[in-house]
Amino acid sequence: MIAALHTGNQEQFFRLAAADPFLGCQMEVDARLFGHCDHLMRFFVCEQGAMEIKGDTAYLAGAADGAELAGMLAFAGVRRIVTAGPLPMGWRESGQMAAMEYRPGIPPALPAGVTLDTAPPAADLLQVVACEGITGPGADNFYSEVCTKRNHGMGQFWLARLDGQPAATAGCYALTHTRAYLAGVVTLPQYRRQGIGGGLCAALAAHLAAEGRTVGLLCRPEREPFYQKMGFVRQGLLHCGRP
């Protein structure tokens, strides 16, 4: 049976999430900070899995009954799922996500004139991610997530500046004592193909690894060469499914 997260099943949720090496870090941090904020994210416990719903996407660590899961996701308006386990009944695989892990090394140098801002205002981060369509309510949710995670020491968000202006961003969207999950590597169109975003992501990964954390991220398989240049190595594949 799939049940919403509550005080009685929190321990089970965290145990099931921690068993997933790819989604566990993100789900643990999100649940600890936003388990009470249904408008941002929702969390559920299955008999053999833990699940997070963010927007119209579900992330499933472990497994759930295929028929029950399909019905529950349809009711919740979910149009996409990411999981290493079986897809909901009647859903089809629509792609894959590569789970990458950072191997410490010498990060690519940032281009001349680019400076790192390790504590940028959230408004400057929004200025960059807006080019990916994060506007309106999505921008409000992004702002809440960034500020909450940074204030609780569970996230880090860096910005690359060129001549003082925002050019690219990369973030650690889940940070624990042992693991870090990177995402949101975005470069403004006019600054792409100059090594800014890659250098920024590599610098953040190297910083987190130097603190003793395992650093990982998820990307589409066609983006693997981009991250391999920064020292990331594929550890596995997750399935993306649609109804």
Side-chain angles (χ1 to χ4, degrees):
M1 180 178 179
I2 300 174
L5 180 67
H6 55 77
T7 54
N9 61 17
Q10 279 185 345
E11 182 177 342
Q12 182 183 8
F13 177 92
F14 290 120
R15 175 175 54 80
L16 290 166
D20 189 306
F22 307 134
L23 300 176
C25 177
Q26 174 188 355
M27 294 178 70
E28 176 187 347
V29 168
D30 286 351
R32 292 192 186 282
L33 292 178
F34 303 106
H36 60 289
C37 300
D38 286 351
H39 67 288
L40 286 177
M41 307 168 196
R42 291 169 286 170
F43 306 89
F44 301 87
V45 176
C46 317
E47 289 185 6
Q48 297 178 308
M51 182 167 63
E52 172 180 354
I53 295 178
K54 190 173 181 180
D56 66 351
T57 300
Y59 300 89
L60 175 63
D65 178 81
E68 182 185 9
L69 181 60
M72 182 267 180
L73 295 180
F75 180 79
V78 172
R79 303 297 300 168
R80 178 173 176 262
I81 190 169
V82 179
T83 180
L87 295 176
M89 183 176 295
W91 284 46
R92 58 179 175 81
E93 184 165 316
S94 59
Q96 295 179 320
M97 298 289 283
M100 311 288 287
E101 191 172 290
Y102 179 69
R103 297 287 187 265
I106 301 175
L110 287 164
V114 175
T115 57
L116 289 179
D117 186 345
T118 60
D124 286 357
L125 297 172
L126 275 170
Q127 183 179 333
V128 178
V129 300
C131 74
E132 296 287 292
I134 301 177
T135 58
D140 294 337
N141 291 344
F142 175 84
Y143 183 89
S144 297
E145 182 176 354
V146 166
C147 292
T148 301
K149 289 182 175 179
R150 186 157 57 184
N151 290 343
H152 285 82
M154 294 185 178
Q156 293 186 25
F157 307 91
W158 287 16
L159 192 72
R161 296 183 182 274
L162 185 60
D163 298 327
Q165 298 302 309
T169 182
C172 171
Y173 283 76
L175 185 65
T176 69
H177 293 300
T178 59
R179 300 191 69 88
Y181 170 73
L182 299 191
V185 182
V186 181
T187 303
L188 286 172
Q190 63 269 34
Y191 299 121
R192 291 173 183 171
R193 302 187 183 281
Q194 300 179 40
I196 299 175
L200 173 63
C201 182
L204 177 56
H207 168 76
L208 295 166
E211 294 180 333
R213 296 182 175 91
T214 299
V215 183
L217 57 81
L218 299 178
C219 70
R220 298 186 302 274
E222 61 267 25
R223 294 287 289 169
E224 284 188 60
F226 173 79
Y227 290 106
Q228 287 170 349
K229 292 177 182 178
M230 302 173 216
F232 285 87
V233 178
R234 184 204 280 191
Q235 297 298 296
L237 282 173
L238 278 72
H239 308 287
C240 299
R242 291 190 180 276

